[in-house]
Amino acid sequence: MKREMFPGDFLWGVATASYQIEGAYNEDGKGESIWDRFAHAPGKIKDGTTGDVACDHYHRYREDIALLKELGVNAYRFSVSWPRIFPCGKGEVNQKGLDFYDALVDELLKQGIKPLLTLYHWDLPQPLQFHGGWTNTDTVQAFLEYAMLLFKKLGDRVELWATFNEPWCISFLAHELGEHAPGIKDLRTALQVAHNVLVAHGKAVKAFRSENPSGKTGIVLNLYPVHPSSESEQDKEAAILSDCYRNRWFLDPVFKGEYPQELLSVYQKLYGDFAKDYESIQVACEKIDFLGVNYYSREVVSHDPKSILKSKTVKVEAKRTDMGWEIYPQGIQEILVRINREYGPIDLYVTENGAAFKDELKDGEIRDYERIDFLKEHFKNTYYAIQQGVPVKGYFVWSLMDNFEWAHGYSKRFGLFYVDYNDNLKRIPKESARWFKKFLNNEISLE
Ligand SMILES: OC[C@@H]1[C@@H](O)[C@H](O)[C@@H](O)c2nc(CNc3ccccc3)cn21
């Protein structure tokens, strides 16, 4: 199975995100983001690092685009740092911030690489957080102004636009579990954030249509197959509610304009007032052109009477990545086929798939054969979905290079290129980069 067996216009790319690679956290007029503040707070990041410098992509973007060219990709997914454009979140525009993304897009196009731009990959301007962040509908309005400015400035050259990266992480991981910025631990707040982000998504898609009818908009969701640990009714019930929490809480509003009733009723029992505020999320259901699917693993659950979802994650015996995530390649096929069956027809992009492994630099080489095997199996399972008629239009490997892995700092490496943090952030191609390049050049098969 070679690259040429995928559709001729299939996009093969890599993905990154602004806070994870750019650095220059306070340069050229950029304002503070919630991740700048969170990373600087003691104890939030496992290795005590920050994204202040990261991979210094802000200064090295031409070098990094040369790496894309070397790989032979035809697409690149990146995100824009909102506080680099609006240091205060709204109002005054930072021209140097706009200039950076203008130059980035021009260089990509010059190298024959198609950009997929993500408007929001978690780095909210901190001044907006001072006023409640995503719990405040003023932030929805500020997001629309930010989106409209970028549509105007880059819409002539960028065709593919994603509004949000992983609303599940923006809401539940960051506001219920508290593991990401701003580090709040309150389910009611998380539900309010999820709602406002979904509203912002719908309004931005509608505004985009009016501004740029030829462009294509979508949203990026992290999706997981959720399997019961047994065939018992209770475990199957646990899987249904966990699927609502992880997947359908965002899929159903975006494609059907309603929250999944099975879980909505649980929250309505918990929060009496929930109904009147959040019963309708119709506004999120603006027709989109594509869905970005971030796939990493599956979840196996069992009944748990003590939990709100009556479910708990079960750690099954399996091969795992350095993140502890089960390696489950058939899950990418399963999720793509399901989305097409239950929410299609809709163009799908695998906007992130990749793995962290304990990559070691030895004699100038990084022999990451586990990553090659991981990608090979996920590419094959993506192809099997295409063979079943699923309109998968592209695949972006996470990530181009090792970078700031959120609460894990630099301790987890996902890159095709190794970043030597002890040697001036030097980028070194891993074996997987060489393998990917050969695959893209039709030199090798996936068998
Ligand atoms: O963790 C790897 C990547 C991360 O670097 C990206 O910025 C983000 O888009 C991303 N999403 C997932 C899947 N969701 C997730 C689950 C738990 C913690 C963080 C992310 C993995 N990844």
Side-chain angles (χ1 to χ4, degrees):
M1 189 189 304
K2 288 191 167 182
R3 173 192 179 163
E4 60 198 3
M5 293 173 71
F6 285 78
D9 57 355
F10 196 80
L11 297 184
W12 285 101
V14 293
T16 63
S18 46
Y19 186 76
Q20 296 181 268
I21 66 167
E22 287 181 2
Y25 84 110
N26 62 354
E27 273 185 51
D28 284 349
K30 174 182 170 291
E32 183 185 18
S33 78
I34 58 173
W35 267 96
D36 290 315
R37 182 156 298 223
F38 190 77
H40 277 266
K44 298 297 184 188
I45 310 300
K46 288 186 176 65
D47 64 1
T49 59
T50 72
D52 289 3
V53 177
C55 304
D56 193 33
H57 175 73
Y58 182 76
H59 298 109
R60 305 189 195 199
Y61 74 93
R62 289 186 191 281
E63 169 192 346
D64 292 331
I65 293 175
L67 298 181
L68 299 175
K69 193 74 182 167
E70 181 186 331
L71 276 176
V73 297
N74 59 13
Y76 173 57
R77 175 178 176 234
F78 66 96
S79 76
V80 173
S81 168
W82 184 348
R84 219 182 270 288
I85 306 299
F86 285 103
C88 297
K90 55 188 176 183
E92 192 181 335
V93 173
N94 174 35
Q95 188 54 47
K96 284 185 176 176
L98 274 178
D99 293 347
F100 169 69
Y101 294 105
D102 210 55
L104 179 76
V105 167
D106 283 347
E107 186 62 20
L108 286 168
L109 296 176
K110 183 181 167 191
Q111 299 303 330
I113 298 166
K114 190 183 188 69
L116 193 163
L117 186 154
T118 305
L119 286 164
Y120 187 81
H121 200 125
W122 308 350
D123 40 0
L124 185 75
Q126 180 61 40
L128 296 177
Q129 189 63 39
F130 287 138
H131 297 280
W134 286 108
T135 66
N136 186 337
T137 52
D138 292 350
T139 300
V140 174
Q141 187 51 41
F143 176 76
L144 289 179
E145 287 163 23
Y146 159 65
M148 287 305 288
L149 179 74
L150 288 184
F151 293 155
K152 282 190 176 69
K153 296 292 184 184
L154 300 172
D156 60 323
R157 287 159 286 159
V158 176
E159 183 192 9
L160 298 172
W161 295 76
T163 53
F164 289 94
N165 181 72
E166 301 188 350
W168 185 89
C169 290
I170 299 168
S171 49
F172 296 114
L173 191 62
H175 290 83
E176 177 195 12
L177 306 178
E179 293 176 25
H180 278 197
I184 291 169
K185 296 184 180 179
D186 179 75
L187 174 58
R188 186 76 180 75
T189 302
L191 291 166
Q192 191 178 15
V193 165
H195 192 80
N196 287 339
V197 167
L198 284 163
V199 169
H201 161 74
K203 289 184 171 192
V205 170
K206 191 169 187 173
F208 183 83
R209 288 259 182 290
S210 64
E211 176 65 31
N212 191 330
S214 63
K216 292 184 168 54
T217 43
I219 189 169
V220 174
L221 302 180
N222 51 309
L223 300 174
Y224 306 75
V226 180
H227 296 152
S229 59
S230 82
E231 284 307 301
S232 78
E233 285 312 307
Q234 283 192 326
D235 288 345
K236 286 195 282 189
E237 189 58 34
I240 289 168
L241 280 185
S242 183
D243 179 51
C244 286
Y245 174 71
R246 284 197 173 277
N247 301 316
R248 291 182 56 201
W249 201 254
F250 301 98
L251 283 166
D252 287 22
V254 166
F255 288 103
K256 300 177 178 176
E258 59 188 19
Y259 286 114
Q261 191 55 50
E262 301 90 322
L263 186 52
L264 181 62
S265 53
V266 169
Y267 292 145
Q268 283 169 332
K269 286 193 189 83
L270 264 181
Y271 308 113
D273 63 343
F274 190 81
K276 70 176 175 8
D277 299 354
Y278 301 122
E279 187 95 298
S280 163
I281 187 59
Q282 179 62 35
V283 68
C285 191
E286 280 293 325
K287 186 185 173 331
I288 53 176
D289 301 293
F290 68 88
L291 176 70
V293 176
N294 287 358
Y295 175 77
Y296 286 89
S297 188
R298 68 161 175 173
E299 192 190 27
V300 180
V301 299
S302 291
H303 173 67
D304 176 4
K306 299 184 298 301
S307 98
I308 292 171
L309 301 175
K310 297 287 178 281
S311 106
K312 63 184 175 187
T313 299
V314 171
K315 196 153 186 168
V316 297
E317 187 62 37
K319 278 172 68 180
R320 295 180 183 274
T321 70
D322 194 29
M323 294 294 280
W325 299 343
E326 179 184 357
I327 297 174
Y328 193 77
Q330 55 268 52
I332 200 168
Q333 179 188 166
E334 185 179 326
I335 209 75
L336 292 169
V337 168
R338 177 203 176 175
I339 299 301
N340 187 51
R341 183 181 65 245
E342 296 182 12
Y343 298 94
I346 182 78
D347 285 357
L348 300 176
Y349 289 92
V350 176
T351 32
E352 286 179 31
N353 175 248
F357 293 108
K358 293 191 186 307
D359 298 330
E360 286 183 17
L361 179 58
K362 272 185 193 162
D363 312 322
E365 301 288 334
I366 300 95
R367 298 176 179 82
D368 59 333
Y369 300 116
E370 288 176 293
R371 182 171 290 106
I372 291 171
D373 189 55
F374 180 97
L375 293 174
K376 186 185 296 183
E377 292 309 311
H378 285 81
F379 287 8
K380 283 160 67 175
N381 275 278
T382 301
Y383 181 71
Y384 299 150
I386 294 170
Q387 280 185 310
Q388 297 169 67
V390 180
V392 186
K393 301 295 181 184
Y395 189 117
F396 294 81
V397 174
W398 185 270
S399 179
L400 168 64
M401 60 184 141
D402 300 334
N403 57 51
F404 182 80
E405 179 49 39
W406 308 113
H408 294 274
Y410 299 101
S411 66
K412 303 296 179 188
R413 293 177 178 271
F414 278 87
L416 292 167
F417 284 82
Y418 183 93
V419 175
D420 191 341
Y421 301 109
N422 298 319
D423 182 5
N424 190 32
L425 304 173
K426 186 178 166 189
R427 282 80 157 135
I428 305 168
K430 300 178 187 175
E431 272 311 306
S432 57
R434 296 195 180 101
W435 170 83
F436 191 34
K437 177 178 180 170
K438 286 180 184 160
F439 169 75
L440 292 175
N441 198 32
N442 269 312
E443 289 175 46
I444 52 171
S445 153
L446 294 178
E447 264 54 55

